[in-house]
Amino acid sequence: MSEHTVKSYEEELRQLIDSVIKMGSLTESQMADSMDAIIKVDKDSIDKIIKSDDEINKFRSKIDTQIMTLLVKRAPMAIDLRETISSLKISQDLERIGDLSKSNAKKIKPLPQDLPDELLGNLKRLGDLVIKQLKEVLDSFVNKDFDKAKEVWEKDEQVDNLTYIAMESVIDFLSKDKKNLDFSTHLIFATKNLERAGDHITNIAENVCYLVKGEYLKGNRPKGRVIQE
């Protein structure tokens, strides 16, 4: 392989990683915005959050094209192939997290402004943890930090536990007045979306571990309390 080809290949790989990092940063911002909007019942921010999802999807398309170019033209080997495969899988999970944040933004519109403080507090604690998990797993990808990625993976149990508490608050809200049924339904979906975002974050953690060491984490993910659906 000529020096020019090697440099071109390294540049294309660097651009791929850069795209994943930018996509991750945008997804993190979108999730934080949607969570903030839910807690404040800020209906004016819905369109902005939905629009940001379009930008995330554009990054996904760009990453797919970059990966196809690398696989077809460069035939990456060993660690570079792992980086390419991991980037593909991570971008898929980031896209799904973006979809979940967009879905949560849409749940805001019918909500009243006077939701119980306890309910909002429990939902905020769940959202804050999921956002923190996303930031840390993206940092682990940037730094190729196996230990940090594994730590994120292990904390999925905490997401389950906070989901359980938030769900109980929503059920309590419903039990106090059957007129709250429609509101509660939207809040249940928003809570479950945060839990699912947590699952996608642990997927990313698994792929970072694969990227760094060439093997996936063994055993089942730690699971916390779960409300039966």
Side-chain angles (χ1 to χ4, degrees):
M1 189 179 289
S2 69
E3 182 180 352
H4 173 73
T5 301
V6 170
K7 286 184 178 179
S8 296
Y9 168 66
E10 289 176 349
E11 176 62 17
E12 287 173 3
L13 188 60
R14 187 197 64 77
Q15 289 176 356
L16 169 62
I17 302 306
D18 186 58
S19 293
V20 176
I21 292 169
K22 288 178 179 177
M23 183 182 185
S25 178
L26 186 58
T27 305
E28 184 183 341
S29 295
Q30 184 202 30
M31 172 167 278
D33 288 344
S34 70
M35 198 63 237
D36 189 55
I38 290 173
I39 299 305
K40 295 177 180 177
V41 194
D42 181 5
K43 303 180 183 185
D44 293 334
S45 65
I46 296 173
D47 289 342
K48 175 191 171 186
I49 296 166
I50 291 173
K51 187 175 180 180
S52 68
D53 190 60
D54 293 336
E55 296 302 312
I56 291 172
N57 292 338
K58 287 178 184 177
F59 265 111
R60 172 67 200 285
S61 296
K62 179 180 179 180
I63 288 166
D64 283 351
T65 300
Q66 290 173 307
I67 287 171
M68 285 299 298
T69 298
L70 277 166
L71 291 176
V72 173
K73 290 173 57 179
R74 307 300 183 189
M77 299 295 290
I79 181 64
D80 292 339
L81 181 58
R82 292 212 304 269
E83 200 144 29
T84 304
I85 293 171
S86 298
S87 295
L88 173 62
K89 292 184 176 181
I90 289 169
S91 70
Q92 291 171 341
D93 281 301
L94 288 173
E95 182 183 37
R96 287 296 299 126
I97 293 169
D99 290 340
L100 292 166
S101 294
K102 178 177 73 172
S103 175
N104 273 3
K106 292 179 178 179
K107 300 288 185 290
I108 299 168
K109 199 167 187 179
L111 295 179
Q113 296 288 339
D114 58 345
L115 289 169
D117 289 340
E118 182 181 1
L119 188 159
L120 291 175
N122 289 331
L123 193 58
K124 185 177 187 302
R125 277 188 287 276
L126 171 61
D128 286 347
L129 176 59
V130 174
I131 292 166
K132 181 183 177 184
Q133 288 276 85
L134 179 56
K135 180 183 185 306
E136 290 184 350
V137 83
L138 291 172
D139 287 345
S140 76
F141 173 70
V142 171
N143 299 314
K144 292 185 173 60
D145 188 334
F146 177 89
D147 291 337
K148 177 60 71 174
K150 185 178 180 183
E151 183 181 333
V152 170
W153 184 81
E154 291 171 342
K155 283 184 180 177
D156 190 50
E157 180 179 6
Q158 295 180 23
V159 174
D160 289 340
N161 289 336
L162 289 182
T163 298
Y164 183 92
I165 293 170
M167 281 288 195
E168 283 197 319
S169 294
V170 176
I171 292 169
D172 182 63
F173 175 59
L174 172 59
S175 68
K176 289 178 178 176
D177 191 338
K178 297 303 179 186
K179 293 179 182 177
N180 293 333
L181 176 60
D182 186 51
F183 302 143
S184 298
T185 300
H186 288 284
L187 289 166
I188 285 171
F189 275 113
T191 304
K192 289 299 292 182
N193 282 346
L194 287 169
E195 182 188 35
R196 292 187 182 107
D199 290 338
H200 286 289
I201 290 166
T202 54
N203 287 346
I204 295 173
E206 289 174 355
N207 279 294
V208 172
C209 290
Y210 167 75
L211 166 62
V212 177
K213 293 199 172 181
E215 58 183 37
Y216 290 102
L217 292 169
K218 293 180 172 61
N220 296 323
R221 296 177 185 176
K223 303 301 292 182
R225 302 175 74 185
V226 179
I227 293 266
Q228 295 299 321
E229 297 183 45

